[in-house]
Amino acid sequence: MFRPFIKQKRILVAVAIINLLLVFISYKSYSFKLSDNYDLKIKTSTIMRGALDHTNKFNEELELKVLDSLDKFNSGLIGVDSIASLMTTKKGFINSKRAVTNPNFASVFIDLFSKIDLSLIDVDTPDTIAVSFTGSFPGANIALLSACKAANIYPIIISSIGSSSWGANQTKKTWLDIENYLYNKNYFDYKSLAFSLGGDNDRLDELDKNIRQLLIDKIINKNYPLIQDSTLNESILSRMEIYNSKSNNYRAYVNIGGSSASLGDTTISKMYLPGLIYGKDLAIEDAIDDEYELGHEQELVPVIAYFLEEKKIPVINIRNINNLCDWYDLPYKEEDYSKEALQLGKGNLFGTSTPHHPVVVWICVLISFTLLVWLAISSIIQVNNKMKEIDNESI
């Protein structure tokens, strides 16, 4: 029995399936607007990915194992819990230590540098920054070094070797060892100018003296100058002497971690918020003044205060990693690590996605309309041809 296309079930089913597919494609499509400095951010994250390949290999050479569930980015930078390490200064959060091993975290520094001044990320213009590292966030340390390499920024670095849990808190793999490994592999052209012990009073007073001596020997044997003053104030002054001797034209000061010399004690450090800051938070300062009688602690002027208040230099303060990840749409909690979140260059840091790309939607509409027109015209032609056959047969 004669049936035109428009009456054939298999044709109608095929047309319906194609149209459903076009609807699905339209729904899933999106437009992506690149963020400012997109190319430099991708370059920075790629550099960090390369550095993590080295640190992961270093971890394997030391025969240290990390659970894949903890080390999402195969960085080799995740340390151990406090109970498994005698050099741990205090308890840290695995979510924070893992989040900063994300290669995309390196691009946070490009964004922060650009907010200070776009000239700071001009690769044709070299700049100098002062930096304070601790062993607590080796991933964030490497993220900054990657941003410096990408943007032609030279960091003047002073580090402390101590680390909270899940950081570089294994005696075979301290931040000093990691930094040296990358430097000796010629991956980064800069390393710390001096090391302190870190922790309480910048002397690791909270640790056993044998562990302290082991770390002191490691610093000296690697030919680093050791900052080991009798008081925290003296340690701060020693750091400032090094910074001042190396440059009088710093564009920024970057603090990573909770160094007591850099931020002050627990009470004082609360005044300095995470991210890009130009001074202490006055509301927090007033609240602290009302709640505590600081006494002699008021005389303590940490390194961050020297840069903010005396030198009038902006500070990038990398602490409260959960807040930074929230601001920059980076994964932090276990459930945040989707397949897309693990990819380099993904997230609002690199651009914004708008659902239903208009070009894709209109193309799908055009295809659907063309298909329906074809179905109608083809069926009409078939019917007309069949009518001619019937007329000829009757004649």
Side-chain angles (χ1 to χ4, degrees):
M1 179 184 294
F2 167 73
R3 287 182 178 174
F5 286 159
I6 203 167
K7 288 285 188 177
Q8 296 182 28
K9 288 185 178 179
R10 61 184 181 86
I11 297 295
L12 294 177
V13 169
V15 170
I17 291 174
I18 292 173
N19 275 284
L20 287 174
L21 183 61
L22 292 172
V23 170
F24 178 79
I25 292 172
S26 299
Y27 179 76
K28 285 293 185 179
S29 67
Y30 63 91
S31 57
F32 187 74
K33 182 181 179 181
L34 300 181
S35 68
D36 294 336
N37 311 305
Y38 173 83
D39 291 338
L40 185 58
K41 289 177 181 177
I42 290 295
K43 179 182 177 181
T44 300
S45 295
T46 302
I47 290 172
M48 183 170 175
R49 179 63 263 172
L52 297 185
D53 291 339
H54 282 292
T55 55
N56 191 44
K57 183 178 180 182
F58 182 42
N59 209 54
E60 293 173 355
E61 291 175 5
L62 295 174
E63 297 181 349
L64 298 173
K65 295 183 179 180
V66 183
L67 294 174
D68 291 341
S69 59
L70 297 180
D71 195 5
K72 298 287 187 181
F73 299 97
N74 298 317
S75 68
L77 296 176
I78 305 299
V80 295
D81 202 353
S82 54
I83 59 174
S85 169
L86 295 176
M87 66 165 286
T88 304
T89 56
K90 61 182 179 180
K91 187 173 181 60
F93 297 98
I94 179 60
N95 285 349
S96 296
K97 306 306 171 74
R98 177 174 54 198
V100 295
T101 64
N102 184 349
N104 292 332
F105 190 84
S107 295
V108 169
F109 288 104
I110 297 298
D111 185 75
L112 293 170
F113 286 147
S114 69
K115 290 178 179 177
I116 294 173
D117 194 325
L118 284 175
S119 66
L120 191 52
I121 58 172
D122 183 352
V123 296
D124 296 323
T125 306
D127 290 294
T128 304
I129 61 173
V131 177
S132 173
F133 284 155
T134 70
S136 295
F137 292 101
N141 297 348
I142 291 173
L144 175 64
L145 296 178
S146 301
C148 289
K149 183 174 181 177
N152 193 18
I153 297 171
Y154 192 85
I156 302 298
I157 307 166
I158 298 176
S159 295
S160 56
I161 201 169
S163 170
S164 55
S165 56
W166 305 112
N169 65 332
Q170 299 171 88
T171 54
K172 291 198 300 183
K173 195 186 68 175
T174 66
W175 168 242
L176 184 151
D177 298 304
I178 296 168
E179 177 188 78
N180 258 281
Y181 187 83
L182 292 169
Y183 183 81
N184 292 333
K185 291 292 183 180
N186 297 316
Y187 199 80
F188 294 121
D189 296 333
Y190 16 74
K191 61 179 183 176
S192 301
L193 296 178
F195 263 86
S196 71
L197 292 177
D200 288 352
N201 295 314
D202 209 24
R203 294 170 52 90
L204 286 180
D205 287 344
E206 69 270 44
L207 298 188
D208 178 81
K209 64 179 182 179
N210 293 325
I211 293 295
R212 288 203 302 269
Q213 190 58 51
L214 184 152
L215 295 174
I216 289 171
D217 293 341
K218 183 184 283 284
I219 293 170
I220 294 173
N221 291 337
K222 291 291 186 180
N223 299 315
Y224 283 96
L226 172 64
I227 299 175
Q228 192 182 23
D229 297 294
S230 57
T231 67
L232 182 56
N233 259 324
E234 291 174 352
S235 179
I236 292 169
L237 293 175
S238 294
R239 287 170 176 250
M240 289 308 304
E241 185 177 341
I242 294 173
Y243 287 132
N244 290 332
S245 69
K246 294 301 178 181
S247 177
N248 58 3
N249 188 32
Y250 291 111
R251 300 296 305 281
Y253 175 64
V254 179
N255 172 75
I256 297 178
S259 164
S260 56
S262 181
L263 291 179
D265 60 25
T266 304
T267 302
I268 294 175
S269 65
K270 292 177 181 178
M271 303 178 192
Y272 302 102
L273 299 179
L276 176 61
I277 59 175
Y278 292 88
K280 66 180 67 172
D281 188 284
L282 299 179
I284 295 178
E285 182 181 27
D286 290 341
I288 289 174
D289 287 342
D290 290 341
E291 187 173 354
Y292 299 100
E293 291 184 9
L294 296 180
H296 72 280
E297 293 175 358
Q298 288 179 313
E299 301 173 3
L300 183 67
V301 181
V303 172
I304 193 172
Y306 274 105
F307 280 99
L308 284 171
E309 297 167 16
E310 292 193 12
K311 296 179 177 292
K312 307 299 181 184
I313 291 173
V315 167
I316 293 173
N317 192 19
I318 303 300
R319 296 187 70 198
N320 302 94
I321 305 302
N322 57 327
N323 290 334
L324 291 170
C325 289
D326 183 51
W327 298 342
Y328 285 99
D329 188 34
L330 295 172
Y332 182 77
K333 297 179 181 178
E334 179 69 31
E335 57 268 25
D336 296 336
Y337 289 92
S338 64
K339 184 177 180 181
E340 182 177 357
L342 294 171
Q343 296 177 18
L344 191 145
K346 293 295 183 180
N348 293 341
L349 184 60
F350 298 89
T352 54
S353 298
T354 303
H356 318 315
H357 195 297
V359 174
V360 174
V361 170
W362 278 110
I363 289 175
C364 290
V365 169
L366 181 61
I367 292 173
S368 178
F369 181 74
T370 302
L371 186 62
L372 293 174
V373 170
W374 168 82
L375 180 63
I377 293 176
S378 297
S379 298
I380 291 172
I381 293 174
Q382 286 179 311
V383 170
N384 288 338
N385 289 337
K386 187 64 177 177
M387 291 300 293
K388 290 179 180 177
E389 290 178 12
I390 294 173
D391 291 341
N392 291 335
E393 288 176 2
S394 61
I395 293 172

